Amino acid sequence: MAAATSSRTSSSSRTSSYRAPRDPADATSLVIAAAMGDEPADTILENCSIYSVYTGEILHDMQISIYGDRISYVGHDASHTRGSRTTTVDLEGRRVAPGYADPHIHIDQFVMPAEFAKEALLCGVTSLFSDPIDVVSVAGYRGFEEFLRAGRGLPIRIFQTVPGGLPVDPRFSRRGSGAMLARQRTAVRRNPDVLGMGEVFSWTKVTERDPRTMRSISDMTRQHCIINGHTAGASGKKLAAYVASGIISCHEPINFDQAIERLRLGMWVMIREGSIRRDLEGIIREVISHGPYLERLMFCSDGLDPAAIREFGHIDHCVREAVRLGIHPVDAVTMATRNVFDYYMMGRDLGGIAPGRLADILVMRKGDDSSFRPETVMVGGRTVVSKGRLAVDVPARRMPAWIRRTVRIPRLSASDFEVRARGRATSANTIVLKTEIITGLGTARVVCDGDGRVVPHPDAADVWKVAAFDRIRSGGGSSAIRGRRSVGFLEGLGGDVGAFASTWSFHENDMIVIGSNDAEMAAVANHLTKNNGGVAVSCNGRIVASMPLQFAGIVSTAPFETVLEQFGQVNGAMSDAGCRFERPVLIPLFLPFLALPLVRMTAGGMVHVTGGRRVDPLRYGDA
Ligand SMILES: [Fe+2]
């Protein structure tokens, strides 16, 4: 990490991308010497109150000595650690906490890691545990390595997990299946900042002992690597079987009953509070009334869109909300810090204010004991946020041209969006949008023209075409697209747009195009292909909003502020067109997501997830 300097660096091998010392024993000896006062501290923080995540106390009138990137002393009198070049800072009673950690976040979303780091640091988040599953879905392990590079050298700790969830459902997808096991193994061995494997869904792959999944799990456990879980909807013997695999965390509980069932089975629970779902309030209210042990509870985001982090904040928001709901402040801070590093078996190095820990330290504003938003942030002893503003340059990394060229669709025309009937079809199976994320199966009236082309019946209000194109497998001319696209019908959008399209979609990354007009759908799809990816909205033949996503067609390379604005414009354009959902961008993102019920749209066709079958878009023989 950029914070580390000279020989005063750390000794652990998996504490992010700072330079490891030549001889760990020497580095440890130096920190011991600094604690004894035989080596002068670089910095002493005086007169502060520490959230002690080890005792549940708030310790007043404390002093903290920092030597290199580590804390060397914590106590009431650090005078013995002071030397002629020691900087002493009087914190005038300010509260001090360890740096917050997000234990599960997909940072391959919206903005590049450097841009995200700037926002996260302002919220006091100094460690991110990343699962870049969409990068692997699009660009395999070559993309994973490229993404690791994009996260290195930043003034924040980014710990990576190698995605463990691909293909999401091998019956309907092959994304990420190529040479996966060997690459997972290599990724972990080769990179000290790769801790293990990301969330393993679907959980049925575990309960049914899918051979590849079993090999992945045993590979990781043999190397003492962490494996993150995903047990949405699992209970009883199925949940017990999943836990028996050695995967002992989950961020999917949406209520306290699900959380406590998992805690009782020895799992760690990450309470999700992010763009996809906000489960904190419901769970925390019952945590307070039931009073379970808090040692295995954490907060995670699972991904944050630009508007969400600006509106709510990040893990600081979770601490703030938990305290507002009645959790003791030290307990809330502990859930955001120590518990995360204990789960990842890194508690010796991170998670608290104590000798030997890396000096990731948050200093709150004077007199502020409720916002939990720091005014000063130190990472490895280096001040990265000062007076609530970034105090360091965050370098943007150049990326190779190949990662910008992942949208491989030949030029499309209106005919690529046609649905043709094999016989007399009078109705269609539709994907019904219940929310931006949740879908159902419906039916809608359709009409055929003389050539067998099917369109929604004029009375079938709010029924739209939806198309999915495999944009990743390279193809030749326009005939090549025929085998890797599907077109069906979508119901419940509520808005009348010519076309709404995205090249980023969980975790298939098919290009999804929704619309009312075949020619306009083709035009928007061609626009996204030409621009190497993004999300765009077209009304009356004109693109009214777009958010380019140049990195693998899933992440923008623009500054955070630009992406924030574009994100608002896309959602706003859809709202202006009458869309009934708050976050329309999520609609194409989730349409192919095979880990969620009920009906999904992929380039291979419409899929009934719980039924495990494909669905023909048209119904034949209805009266
Ligand atoms: Fe996730």
Side-chain angles (χ1 to χ4, degrees):
M1 203 181 74
T5 53
S6 71
S7 62
R8 298 179 167 193
T9 49
S10 324
S11 55
S12 171
S13 62
R14 287 192 191 271
T15 42
S16 192
S17 47
Y18 57 79
R19 283 182 297 145
R22 282 218 183 100
D23 186 342
D26 286 351
T28 304
S29 292
L30 285 169
V31 179
I32 295 168
M36 290 297 290
D38 297 332
E39 280 281 331
D42 294 313
T43 307
I44 297 174
L45 305 177
E46 284 189 341
N47 190 14
C48 59
S49 297
I50 298 174
Y51 290 103
S52 173
V53 298
Y54 303 113
T55 62
E57 303 166 282
I58 298 175
L59 306 172
H60 298 289
D61 197 20
M62 297 298 288
Q63 302 195 358
I64 303 166
S65 301
I66 299 167
Y67 177 84
D69 58 358
R70 299 230 173 213
I71 295 166
S72 54
Y73 170 85
V74 177
H76 290 295
D77 182 5
S79 57
H80 68 288
T81 70
R82 186 174 290 116
S84 59
R85 290 196 294 181
T86 302
T87 302
T88 301
V89 184
D90 182 358
L91 292 182
E92 300 177 322
R94 286 174 173 81
R95 297 273 172 108
V96 169
Y100 304 139
D102 186 339
H104 177 69
I105 179 167
H106 302 281
I107 58 167
D108 53 338
Q109 298 188 351
F110 296 102
V111 293
M112 293 299 286
E115 291 298 306
F116 188 80
K118 295 178 194 171
E119 297 297 313
L121 286 169
L122 292 175
C123 299
V125 176
T126 53
S127 292
L128 301 166
F129 292 80
S130 151
D131 184 347
I133 189 166
D134 278 322
V135 167
V136 173
S137 155
V138 174
Y141 286 87
R142 191 179 174 207
F144 180 72
E145 299 272 350
E146 192 54 48
F147 196 70
L148 294 195
R149 277 191 280 277
R152 289 189 182 129
L154 301 177
I156 193 169
R157 299 182 199 280
I158 301 180
F159 303 101
Q160 303 282 357
T161 53
V162 62
L166 294 174
V168 176
D169 187 334
R171 292 170 300 178
F172 306 110
S173 171
R174 294 199 50 74
R175 291 279 186 261
S177 56
M180 183 150 167
L181 282 170
R183 296 299 184 97
Q184 281 173 346
R185 233 173 269 149
T186 314
V188 169
R189 280 206 198 110
R190 208 195 273 163
N191 301 292
D193 43 4
V194 177
L195 300 177
M197 195 156 71
E199 58 184 316
V200 176
F201 53 75
S202 306
W203 49 262
T204 50
K205 283 191 209 163
V206 178
T207 56
E208 291 170 12
R209 284 88 75 201
D210 165 61
R212 290 174 66 89
T213 305
M214 289 298 99
R215 283 202 297 278
S216 283
I217 291 171
S218 68
D219 235 37
M220 290 293 150
T221 47
R222 241 196 339 265
Q223 295 185 71
H224 304 288
C225 287
I226 205 83
I227 309 172
N228 284 330
H230 175 112
T231 60
S235 64
K237 72 176 184 185
K238 292 173 179 171
L239 182 60
Y242 191 90
V243 178
S245 71
I247 307 175
I248 54 166
S249 73
C250 180
H251 60 278
E252 292 293 328
I254 58 171
N255 56 44
F256 179 74
D257 289 345
Q258 293 180 2
I260 195 76
E261 184 181 9
R262 283 153 181 77
L263 290 172
R264 285 173 179 154
L265 295 178
M267 295 187 92
W268 298 70
V269 170
M270 302 170 183
I271 301 171
R272 178 165 48 190
E273 184 78 352
S275 298
I276 307 302
R277 290 189 58 95
R278 295 198 171 271
D279 300 319
L280 186 147
E281 180 162 354
I283 294 176
I284 288 294
R285 279 192 189 285
E286 297 217 28
V287 164
I288 290 162
S289 55
H290 287 77
Y293 291 148
L294 303 176
E295 280 80 355
R296 289 184 170 223
L297 287 175
M298 304 168 253
F299 308 113
C300 82
S301 69
D302 202 11
L304 277 174
D305 67 53
I309 193 168
R310 274 294 164 86
E311 183 180 350
F312 296 99
H314 191 175
I315 299 297
D316 60 320
H317 159 80
C318 300
V319 177
R320 200 159 45 240
E321 278 298 286
V323 171
R324 183 183 67 80
L325 293 164
I327 294 278
H328 189 281
V330 185
D331 289 338
V333 169
T334 304
M335 290 161 70
T337 58
R338 192 201 77 189
N339 290 4
V340 176
F341 295 102
D342 283 353
Y343 165 65
Y344 280 104
M345 298 178 285
M346 297 164 71
R348 192 179 60 180
D349 291 305
L350 285 156
I353 308 283
R357 302 323 190 264
L358 288 157
D360 294 5
I361 295 172
L362 312 181
V363 181
M364 307 302 163
R365 286 181 173 78
K366 191 174 176 185
D368 179 3
D369 58 4
S370 60
S371 84
F372 298 95
R373 172 71 69 106
E375 70 170 2
T376 302
V377 178
M378 299 175 93
V379 177
R382 178 194 191 197
T383 300
V384 296
V385 171
S386 174
K387 297 180 180 160
R389 292 175 173 276
L390 268 185
V392 289
D393 285 333
V394 181
R397 221 192 123 77
R398 283 184 65 82
M399 70 197 69
W402 71 267
I403 199 76
R404 293 174 181 265
R405 295 197 207 102
T406 61
V407 186
R408 303 187 188 105
I409 298 182
R411 188 165 181 78
L412 301 175
S413 64
S415 65
D416 291 307
F417 293 84
E418 287 173 356
V419 178
R420 285 185 173 270
R422 298 192 304 272
R424 184 176 171 274
T426 55
S427 64
N429 289 309
T430 59
I431 299 174
V432 181
L433 289 176
K434 296 189 170 176
T435 69
E436 298 96 323
I437 298 167
I438 305 299
T439 63
L441 181 62
T443 57
R445 293 175 70 198
V446 293
V447 290
C448 282
D449 69 11
D451 293 329
R453 279 188 289 261
V454 181
V455 295
H457 189 280
D459 293 342
D462 207 10
V463 176
W464 314 93
K465 289 257 187 85
V466 58
F469 294 86
D470 182 345
R471 70 168 176 92
I472 295 165
R473 275 194 301 148
S474 56
S478 65
S479 62
I481 200 69
R482 303 253 175 238
R484 49 195 186 95
R485 63 106 204 237
S486 63
V487 186
F489 297 93
L490 179 82
E491 203 173 344
L493 181 68
D496 187 1
V497 291
F500 175 32
S502 175
T503 55
W504 173 30
S505 60
F506 304 139
H507 296 297
E508 303 307 308
N509 287 295
D510 292 332
M511 182 194 277
I512 301 293
V513 190
I514 299 164
S516 58
N517 177 321
D518 292 355
E520 206 163 337
M521 291 168 83
V524 172
N526 291 334
H527 168 84
L528 292 184
T529 301
K530 187 175 161 210
N531 290 285
N532 299 313
V535 183
V537 182
S538 172
C539 292
N540 302 315
R542 193 172 65 85
I543 290 174
V544 292
S546 71
M547 179 171 66
L549 301 172
Q550 307 92 334
F551 182 95
I554 60 173
V555 182
S556 175
T557 54
F560 182 91
E561 296 296 336
T562 306
V563 183
L564 175 67
E565 198 181 327
Q566 292 166 344
F567 179 73
Q569 285 167 350
V570 170
N571 282 325
M574 290 299 293
S575 296
D576 291 348
C579 179
R580 66 192 181 95
F581 299 109
E582 229 174 88
R583 299 167 298 169
V585 167
L586 296 183
I587 295 168
L589 291 191
F590 275 94
L591 269 174
F593 187 42
L594 292 165
L596 278 180
L598 186 68
V599 188
R600 299 287 150 193
M601 190 70 184
T602 73
M606 234 167 114
V607 174
H608 192 293
V609 174
T610 40
R613 60 186 163 85
R614 289 196 201 284
V615 179
D616 196 311
L618 296 176
R619 299 165 68 97
Y620 295 94
D622 289 1

